Amino acid sequence: MTSATDIRPFRIAIPDDDVDDLRDRLSRTRWPDDLPGTGWERGVPGDYLNGLVEYWRTSYDWRAQEARLNEIPQFTTTIDGQTLHFAHVRSPEPDALPLVLTHGWPGSFVDFVKVVGPLTDPRAHGGDPADAFHVVVPSLPGFGFSTPVAGPGWGDLFRVAGAFAELMRRLGYERYGAQGGDIGSGVTGMLGMLAPDRVVGTHINGPAEFPFGPPVSLEGLSEVDRDRAERFNQYQAEGLGYLHLQSTRPQTIAYALSDSPAGQLAWIVEKYREWTDPAADLPEDAVDRDQLLTNVSLYWFTRSGASSAHIVYEGMQAFRRYVEQAANEGGGEAHEPPKGPPNGVAVFAGDHSIRQLVDPAGSIEHWSEFDRGGHFPAMEAPDLLTTDVRAFFRGLR
């Protein structure tokens, strides 16, 4: 007899009918007319997406990618009424530190496949075995196989962090580190707040100013930070359409994302063009094309385009309530927030992170900046991310 709290083995097995349906839908894509003389400044160009759709339909091998993913041990459990999917790879090193890795949007647990081996078994990847981790990679509720969503409220990152803390408890991990980016950075930070006696340190990548705040002033910035600020201001002016729509009318976009794989692909691939290393001209210049399509396929097969949009909606609503509450309490006595575990930050070439804005008090213990990579470092620059995570946690074991 099984219990809801049991850890259940999980294996990906997408039905043949679903794979055939994907290919059929791709073959029947109804294409819009391109406006002559336009390019990426208006969104994903038709000629580019047409070629990527054709590759997805005729050359991409889902079954081969599914088999590779199934080489990673995966499980599910039920926490607070929600099915939670996660990968869990124990290191061969007995003194390894447990580490929970949290993805963001438009990502999934697929983001981390290139770093699992180096993190869990550094001895086999040219590293020091003393830097080994037991790795846990949950799928956020509403993403991948942590679907369907049992009910509203899973966009509250405190709730998600609480679920991840319970997951680590069920796995028997008393002390662990946490790492994440995008939504995952929020969950990671909250894990440190919710379980400060268990979380030894939190490491995030790519923090930036709140996107709906004022533009960043360029005055007094270094050349590197000025470039980051200019890109952030351009993102504010031209790149927030996806966020406005998902954070206000998620159900409206849900129909298109659930009915058209070409639409789901365009919705995601635009971010691989805009948020990756600025030196990369096309998305596949920044990330492996098959890994990109595996992530998009996962969204398609699990209908995560819709459910993740609702998670973004709830997350933004919760954040706005927090901002309003903080503004209303602004006239009261200031309270020093409790000191949590040590923090580490990795900034990659495509990120907007400016330390004097993100960390004006200089309280972040570990801050690294790199000249390549971007918003998806586990996919773009797995070597840099792995090295920085090892370095940050080395003194916290």
Side-chain angles (χ1 to χ4, degrees), residues 2 12 22 31 63 66 69 89 95 112 152 155 197 222 230 266 289-290 300-301 328 336 349 355:
T2 60
I12 304 172
L22 169 60
W31 294 98
R63 290 302 180 203
E66 183 182 70
L69 292 179
V89 184
D95 296 327
F112 295 105
D197 55 332
S222 68
E230 288 174 342
R289 181 168 56 175
D290 280 358
W300 175 256
F301 290 133
N328 292 335
E336 184 74 18
R355 185 166 192 177

Side-chain angles (χ1 to χ4, degrees), residues 103-286:
H103 66 84
W105 184 90
S108 68
F109 87 103
V110 172
D111 290 10
F112 295 105
V113 296
K114 291 183 178 180
V115 301
V116 168
L119 289 175
T120 57
D121 193 3
R123 188 192 302 269
H125 293 81
D128 184 345
D131 289 329
F133 298 92
H134 302 305
V135 169
V136 179
V137 190
S139 295
L140 289 166
F143 292 72
F145 297 106
S146 290
T147 52
V149 181
W154 282 106
D156 182 342
L157 300 190
F158 275 105
R159 186 181 186 188
V160 176
F164 286 9
E166 170 61 15
L167 172 62
M168 297 302 278
R169 187 196 67 78
R170 289 185 189 180
L171 293 175
Y173 293 138
E174 297 296 323
R175 295 178 70 254
Y176 53 92
Q179 198 285 328
D182 193 83
I183 296 173
S185 67
V187 174
T188 296
M190 291 175 189
L191 262 173
M193 297 171 62
L194 288 172
D197 55 332
R198 293 174 178 261
V199 177
V200 301
T202 58
H203 182 283
I204 64 173
N205 55 272
E209 291 290 278
F210 181 55
F212 295 135
V216 172
S217 171
L218 306 183
E219 186 177 352
L221 297 180
S222 68
E223 183 178 350
V224 171
D225 283 345
R226 179 182 290 268
D227 178 65
R228 295 188 194 282
E230 288 174 342
R231 286 189 284 109
F232 175 79
N233 291 342
Q234 183 179 14
Y235 163 69
Q236 274 193 320
E238 302 177 3
L240 289 174
Y242 80 98
L243 187 54
H244 280 292
L245 189 52
Q246 291 190 131
S247 62
T248 57
R249 296 296 184 270
Q251 188 61 29
T252 300
I253 190 62
Y255 301 108
L257 299 179
S258 300
D259 189 60
S260 169
Q264 176 68 89
L265 176 62
W267 191 246
I268 290 179
V269 80
E270 179 190 271
K271 303 312 169 196
Y272 283 101
R273 171 55 161 55
E274 294 187 347
W275 296 352
T276 51
D277 191 325
D281 185 45
L282 295 173
E284 59 266 36
D285 296 332

Side-chain angles (χ1 to χ4, degrees), residues 355-363:
R355 185 166 192 177
Q356 67 187 65
L357 302 179
V358 174
D359 182 32
S363 59

Side-chain angles (χ1 to χ4, degrees), residues 12 14 19 60-67 69 294 297-298 301:
I12 304 172
I14 300 300
V19 178
Y60 171 80
D61 188 344
W62 165 256
R63 290 302 180 203
Q65 298 301 319
E66 183 182 70
L69 292 179
T294 298
S297 297
L298 190 63
F301 290 133

